[in-house]
Every structure is written in C-alpha cells, then in structure tokens.
C-alpha cells in the first residue's frame, strides 16, 4: 500500500524525502482507473498546509529532519515556490489549509496583527481554510477583521470555514460552514471546515461569548448531506483536530516522512472512523504532526487522513480521480504524499518583497533592548515537565502582582503551552534580550489575573494537570518560587498529586484557607481544561503578560547582573 518516491521541484535541488500512499484495497471497476473514461474522468490535485502560525520568515529556528539530518525548512518565500512548482501542469488544482494559520505567530506577523500572514497566504494561492483554535486568540471580532478586511487591510482573499462554530442561541454557524470549488467543465468539490470541538476550552472565553463549538462528526455529517442535496458528491473535510503516528500497528496504515509511524492514535481516529462515508478525505491539523494515513470509514472503505506538520515546513499533495458521471472522487484512486519545504529552491519574489516591506517597518521596535540573560533559558522538550523558562515567567508574574494594591499575589502558575520560544544567549547580540525575542516567548497578549483560591481548589488545579476526558495529555503547570509539592507517578489518578505535600514558603497549604493566585487570562477562564480557575473569586486584572515580562526584565537585569535560568525542582517529581 505504501511506496516511497523522490521528487525535485527545481533544477539542482536535493532529492526530497517524500512518502506516497495509495488508498484503496479493492479491485478497479471499468472506467475507474487512471487513463480510462475518455474524458469522463479528470485528475484532481489538492495541496494542503496546516498550523502555519504566521511563520512567514525563513528563520534559523525552523528546521526539519530529512534522512536523519536537520535541515533548514519553511519560510513563505520557499513554500510559495514549492506550491507553484507542484501546480505545474495541473488543470484541476486547489490549495487548502486546516486552521491555525494565524495566532501564536512570530514577531514580524504578530506586530501587525497577523495581517502580513494573511497577505502572504493570499499571494501563495490558498483558496480555503478551516478555522483553528488560534484564529480565536483575539476573539471572534478579530477573526471577522481578517475575513472581511478593515480600512486599507483587505483581509483574506479566501474563505475561512467554521461549520461547527455556532451561535449558542440559534445554533446557526457564525462563519461560513462550507465552500464549493467549481472547476471548469462542471467539476465541483465541496469543502467543510471545522475546528476541534474543544476550542472553547483552550481560548480566552471573553472573546467567544455567545459562541459554542459543536461535535465534529455530527457537523460534518450534516453538511455532507447538504452538499449532496446541491449535487456535490466529492467532499473534503478540513478539520483542525489531529492525531499522532505510533510505532504499533493499529490497523490505520500510516506512514511518516521519518518512517516512524505505522499506526495512529489521538482524537482523529474515532472522528475518522465514524464520520459519514460521504466524506472522501480528511485534511487535519492541531497536533503539529506529519502523516499520511488510511483510516476505514463507517462502510469499511479506506479513507485518506493527512497532516503536514507545522509552520510551513511541510506540505501535503493529494491526487485523485474525479468521475464526471458520478460527480464523485474515485476513492481507490487517491494518493497522498508529504514534502519537506527545504530552502534549496529559488525564493518567491512576491513573498520576499512582502516580508522585506514589513521588516523595514518593524525593525526599530523589534530590536529594542529589554533585558539581559547570563545563559540560555529554555522550554522543556514536552509540555509534561518543569522547565526553566516557565519558572522564570511564573516568578515574573508573581513579582508584578505581589503588591497588595495590584493583586497581593502569593503564588503564580504558567501554562506550558503559553511559552512559545526559548531565550537564547547567542541569539543576536550575546546576552541581550530584545523585544522581538520576548514577544516570541509570549505572543498571546493575555492579561494577568489575580484571584482567590482555597487550598482545596489549588489541589484540584494541580490534579487537573493529569489527562482527562476533556484533554488526553498531561500539562505541567509551571510554578513560582516558594511554592512546592510532590508528584508521585507511582500512584494512580489524582492521588499522584500528594495532597499534604503542598507548601508555600515552607508552610503547609491549608485546604480551607484562601490564597491569592496569579495566572494569565487564558487560564483564568478555565483554558486548557483547568476548569477550577474559572471559580476563582475577587479577581483583579493587571498588565498584559508581555508588558509585565518586559517591565520585570527592566527592573531585574543589567549588563553586569544578567538573569540566570532558575533551577528546576520546585515540583518534587518521583
């Protein structure tokens, strides 16, 4: 079922690591194979990306492993070239995306409200995208700004789709649910776009008041029927939810570019296995993984499920035959491959000019010195561990809200997913932290919120770090200096957080005593399934987290007294 191939997109380029999968294990029917039908069939091409996150610049930090070696990868200038080369000779081609195109973006895009990214994607030829959770980072109104434009900003030239993003009173979508690509000769392909059902738990609730996110399968099935009533039988779902390649054989026939994945786990498995057979393929995202998989649909037929990693470092190419008589995709014809966007091709000039224009405007702000570090201060390898940069942010947030007049905080917690980059000593001028670097660490513009929590609620908060029905992974909250506890992995469930081990400055945390706790506004709303934080009382809103971090560096670092990486061990993990 699988075969490997090498592919050149430009003369002189190195061979690219590409995996191809043919979906379909049954016999060919007359007229349904490639080259048959005498004009009844046409060759479709879908090019797909996901989780771009505003990475328009070809930064040194963007790499991908190819043949066991880390190579520079990504950058809009090179992604655009790869896509254009892939489209050559294809009369029935469209370029699609599966959400998180904006949000959690590097400084160059974020400094201009992600307008550079939308302009880049317009020029790149993206024709449709689902929304992802990060499209809601600044609330629904900001998403509408990108959809409709504002002033001189024209917004997206392509539709954002959100079939399962609905008004909680009417149940009607607040964003277009689907889009129909109309090719020449009456060939039509319908695209249903959705974000994960759990989006409301991982974005700030203040920006999505009155909106709810519905079940992905029920929503897809509903609109697949509606598309078929309109005469559109070839249907693709763009879904911002995904899975993980695994080494064991799960019966899902997956393969990754590095050859590590043969099976699949994660939320997408159940979704793909139960979504209507009317859907011909599913393009996914959210997990930042790379895979091309075959997952049986409810009728037992293989159906392609793909994902193209993240940050524009990989793109997916799907090829399929469309039968004009049935007005549908011939499922047995579908093949898919992922390609690494190496920087061994000519940069797209339109993208280069766009990026250069914004770089000229942002240079003065980006280079402003905000502090000094003595060494690298880094994130963890995963979000399930304590790491120095998380501890430092928690310390800074505690310091900025400790004064009784501005919070009276005693403890601060930081979510690991909110730390988006490392602070590196040799980045730019050695030891100097610039505003752009600080922004890359905390790009979400959350407010600091200080609230009352009882000791019992703090214990519940720590227990909510563990996997649950709403979140299948462990998230390790980063804690401020002076707060400690024991996490015993030999125990079961919530008992892993040893209840009588919680200490503040050497004193036991009392279950019935109230404590002042600072978190960012995302967490304060119960984000990342830390629901107990939504119960916090006597809330006081403070500075934007980035403003607080910059001010802390200004007060606590000099060239002669740079900041050192905090030691880990505040959590006694056994």
């Amino acid at each position: 079922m699988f075969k490997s191939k090498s592919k050149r997109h430009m003369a002189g380029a190195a061979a690219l690591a590409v995996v191809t999968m043919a979906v379909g294990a049954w016999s060919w029917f007359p007229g349904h194979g490639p080259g048959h039908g005498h004009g009844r069939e046409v060759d479709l091409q879908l090019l797909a990306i996901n989780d771009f996150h505003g990475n328009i610049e070809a930064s040194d930090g963007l790499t991908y492993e190819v043949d066991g070696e880390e190579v520079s990868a990504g950058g809009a200038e090179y992604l655009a070239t790869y896509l254009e080369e892939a489209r050559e000779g294809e009369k029935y081609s469209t370029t699609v995306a599966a959400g998180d195109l904006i949000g959690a973006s590097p400084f160059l895009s974020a400094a201009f409200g992600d307008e550079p990214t939308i302009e880049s994607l317009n020029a790149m030829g993206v024709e449709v995208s689902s929304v992802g959770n990060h499209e809601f980072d600044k609330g629904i109104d900001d998403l509408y700004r990108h959809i409709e434009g504002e002033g001189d900003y024209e917004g997206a030239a392509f539709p954002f789709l959100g079939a399962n993003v609905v008004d909680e009173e009417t149940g009607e979508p607040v964003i277009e649910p689907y889009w129909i690509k109309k090719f020449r000769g009456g060939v039509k392909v319908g695209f249903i776009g959705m974000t994960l059902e759990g989006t409301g738990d991982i974005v700030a609730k203040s920006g999505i008041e009155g909106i709810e996110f519905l079940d992905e399968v029920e929503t897809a099935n509903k609109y697949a029927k509606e598309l078929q009533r309109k005469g559109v039988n070839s249907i693709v779902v763009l879904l911002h939810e995904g899975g993980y390649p695994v080494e064991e054989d799960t019966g899902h026939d997956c393969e990754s570019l590095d050859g590590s994945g043969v099976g699949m786990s994660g939320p997408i498995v159940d979704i793909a296995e139960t979504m209507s057979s009317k859907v011909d393929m599913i393009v996914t995202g959210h997990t930042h993984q790379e895979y091309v998989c075959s997952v049986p649909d409810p009728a037992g037929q293989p159906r392609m499920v793909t994902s193209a990693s993240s940050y524009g470092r990989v793109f997916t190419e799907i090829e399929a035959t469309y039968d004009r008589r049935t007005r549908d995709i011939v499922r047995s014809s579908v093949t898919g491959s992922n390609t690494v966007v190496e920087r061994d091709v000519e940069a797209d000039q339109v993208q280069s000019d766009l990026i250069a224009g914004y770089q000229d405007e942002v240079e003065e702000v980006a280079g402003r010195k905000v502090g000094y570090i003595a060494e690298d201060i880094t994130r963890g390898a995963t979000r399930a561990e304590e790491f120095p940069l998380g501890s430092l942010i928690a310390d800074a947030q505690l310091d900025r809200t400790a004064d009784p007049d501005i919070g009276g905080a005693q403890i601060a917690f930081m979510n690991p997913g909110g730390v988006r980059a490392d602070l590196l000593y040799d980045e730019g001028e050695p030891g100097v932290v610039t505003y752009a670097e600080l922004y890359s660490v905390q790009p979400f513009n959350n407010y600091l919120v200080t609230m009352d929590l009882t000791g019992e609620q703090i214990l519940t908060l720590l227990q909510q770090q563990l996997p649950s029905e709403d979140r299948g992974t462990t998230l390790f909250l980063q804690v401020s200096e002076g707060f400690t506890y024991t996490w015993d992995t030999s125990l079961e469930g919530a008992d892993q957080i040893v209840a009588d081990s919680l200490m503040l400055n050497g004193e036991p945390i009392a279950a019935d005593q109230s404590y002042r706790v600072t978190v960012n506004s995302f967490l304060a709303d119960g984000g990342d399934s830390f629901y107990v934080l939504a119960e916090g009382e006597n809330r006081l809103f403070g500075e934007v987290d980035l403003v607080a971090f910059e001010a802390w560096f200004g007060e606590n670092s000099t060239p002669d007294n740079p900041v050192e990486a905090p030691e880990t061990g505040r959590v006694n993990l056994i």
Side-chain angles (χ1 to χ4, degrees):
M1 181 165 286
F2 297 99
K3 60 181 179 179
S4 296
K5 67 179 181 180
S6 294
K7 192 170 188 178
R8 287 181 182 269
H9 284 274
M10 295 290 288
L16 300 170
V18 180
V19 176
T20 301
M21 187 195 77
V23 175
W26 58 88
S27 301
W28 294 98
F29 292 92
H32 282 197
H36 296 280
H38 305 290
R40 198 178 84 190
E41 296 175 340
V42 300
D43 296 325
L44 296 178
Q45 180 196 61
L46 269 67
L47 304 178
I49 61 172
N50 54 272
D51 297 274
F52 189 59
H53 288 292
N55 280 269
I56 58 176
E57 288 186 285
S59 69
D60 293 339
L62 288 180
T63 62
Y64 209 86
E65 185 174 317
V66 177
D67 296 331
E69 179 183 355
E70 288 291 324
V71 301
S72 296
E77 299 162 281
Y78 303 99
L79 176 59
T81 296
Y82 271 84
L83 294 176
E84 187 61 30
E85 288 292 316
R87 295 182 190 114
E88 286 188 1
E90 300 285 347
K91 297 180 180 179
Y92 297 87
S93 177
T94 186
T95 301
V96 305
D100 276 9
L101 299 182
I102 57 176
S105 303
F107 181 72
L108 183 64
S109 182
F112 298 97
D114 275 325
E115 293 179 13
T117 291
I118 296 297
E119 292 176 8
S120 171
L121 295 168
N122 288 345
M124 204 179 292
V126 171
E127 292 194 273
V128 63
S129 178
S130 71
V131 292
N133 55 285
H134 280 286
E135 267 78 26
F136 296 92
D137 280 348
K138 296 182 180 179
I140 186 69
D141 289 340
D142 187 69
L143 175 57
Y144 287 148
R145 182 178 68 87
H146 289 297
I147 293 173
E148 300 167 1
E150 181 181 65
D152 293 335
Y153 173 50
E154 296 182 358
F158 54 90
F160 275 105
L161 306 180
N164 64 335
V165 186
V166 304
D167 184 295
E168 63 183 7
E169 293 186 0
T170 67
E172 294 299 314
V174 298
I175 307 168
E176 290 296 322
Y178 59 81
W179 175 74
I180 300 171
K181 171 68 176 182
K182 298 178 181 179
F183 295 99
R184 68 187 71 180
V187 174
K188 298 178 182 179
V189 180
F191 293 89
I192 302 169
M194 298 180 289
T195 185
L196 67 152
E197 182 183 6
T199 293
D201 296 324
I202 55 175
V203 301
K205 289 179 172 52
S206 57
I208 55 169
E209 291 182 4
I211 293 172
E212 62 179 333
F213 301 87
L214 303 183
D215 180 83
E216 302 97 334
V217 173
E218 293 177 3
T219 302
N221 292 354
K222 170 185 174 180
Y223 287 107
K225 290 180 181 178
E226 184 169 322
L227 282 167
Q228 286 201 328
R229 286 196 296 269
K230 293 187 173 185
V232 179
N233 295 332
S234 55
I235 301 171
V236 179
V237 163
L238 307 175
L239 174 60
H240 192 70
E241 178 62 291
Y244 303 88
V246 294
E247 294 183 0
E248 62 268 25
D249 183 359
T250 61
H252 299 118
D253 293 334
C254 292
E255 192 163 336
S256 301
L257 285 170
D258 61 6
S260 63
V262 297
M264 172 177 271
S265 68
I268 194 60
V269 174
D270 182 63
I271 292 171
E273 289 179 340
T274 55
M275 186 178 291
S276 171
S277 300
K278 293 179 174 64
V279 174
D280 294 297
M281 62 188 76
I282 307 172
V283 177
T284 73
H286 188 56
T287 57
H288 290 204
Q289 300 297 303
E290 177 274 313
Y291 49 77
V292 175
C293 300
S294 172
V295 180
D297 68 16
Q301 296 182 347
R303 177 165 55 193
M304 180 167 285
V305 180
T306 70
S307 180
S309 186
S310 59
Y311 309 144
R313 297 172 297 167
V314 172
F315 76 94
T316 303
E317 181 176 0
I318 301 170
E319 297 174 336
T321 298
Y322 177 95
D323 189 317
R324 294 180 190 268
R325 180 181 62 82
T326 63
R327 293 177 295 182
D328 204 355
I329 289 171
V330 179
R331 193 79 75 82
S332 58
S333 71
V334 180
T335 62
S337 61
N338 279 336
T339 299
V340 178
V341 180
E342 296 187 58
R343 297 175 195 161
D344 54 1
V345 296
E346 183 178 347
D348 180 88
Q349 193 59 50
V350 173
Q351 297 288 337
S352 298
D353 291 344
L354 185 152
I355 292 166
Y358 278 107
Q359 285 172 332
D360 289 343
E361 292 186 46
V362 81
E363 186 174 345
E364 184 176 344
V365 176
R368 188 175 75 242
K369 296 180 182 180
V370 299
Y372 303 86
I373 54 177
E375 57 189 323
D376 290 349
I377 308 178
T378 60
R379 299 168 292 169
T382 71
R383 296 180 181 181
E385 61 186 290
E386 183 182 9
F387 52 83
L389 188 50
S391 298
L392 183 68
I393 292 171
D395 289 346
Q397 293 183 352
L398 175 62
D399 182 76
R400 297 296 297 177
T401 56
D403 189 297
D405 294 332
I406 55 175
Q410 299 165 280
I411 308 167
F413 295 102
M414 179 63 192
N415 55 309
V419 186
R420 306 300 289 197
D422 301 322
L423 287 178
L424 301 178
Y425 182 85
D426 286 327
E427 186 79 14
E429 185 178 345
V432 171
V433 179
T434 66
Y435 182 79
E437 290 168 332
L438 214 58
Y439 188 95
S440 295
V441 172
Q442 288 192 282
F444 296 115
N445 290 308
N446 287 309
Y447 288 92
L448 300 186
V449 183
T450 306
M451 64 181 72
D452 287 344
L453 291 179
T454 65
E456 183 177 2
Q457 288 173 316
I458 293 173
L459 175 60
T460 299
L461 172 65
L462 299 177
Q463 292 169 340
Q464 288 176 348
Q465 296 175 109
L466 299 165
S468 65
E469 291 183 1
D470 295 325
R471 190 191 67 234
T473 56
T474 296
L475 290 184
F476 205 117
L477 289 170
Q478 310 299 298
V479 304
S480 56
E481 188 174 13
F483 179 78
T484 60
Y485 68 96
T486 295
W487 187 328
D488 188 344
T489 57
S490 69
L491 301 176
E492 295 293 327
D495 290 339
Q496 292 182 51
I497 308 301
V498 180
D500 60 3
S501 70
L502 277 64
M503 307 282 285
L504 177 60
N505 299 322
E507 297 292 328
I509 292 285
D512 58 354
Q513 184 174 328
S514 181
Y515 299 87
R516 295 292 285 167
V517 175
T518 293
V519 294
N520 59 46
S521 52
F522 166 70
L523 282 176
D525 283 342
D528 272 344
S529 301
F530 290 106
Y531 300 122
V532 71
L533 288 172
E535 303 172 8
E537 299 181 345
N538 298 322
R539 294 171 176 241
L540 184 63
F541 284 76
E543 302 167 294
V544 170
D545 52 9
L546 179 63
V547 173
F549 205 22
E550 179 184 6
W552 184 88
F553 260 101
E555 295 176 0
N556 291 276
S557 71
T558 66
D560 297 327
N561 186 31
V563 174
E564 297 180 352
E567 293 185 5
T568 56
R570 298 174 182 183
V571 180
N572 180 27
L573 188 65
I574 58 176

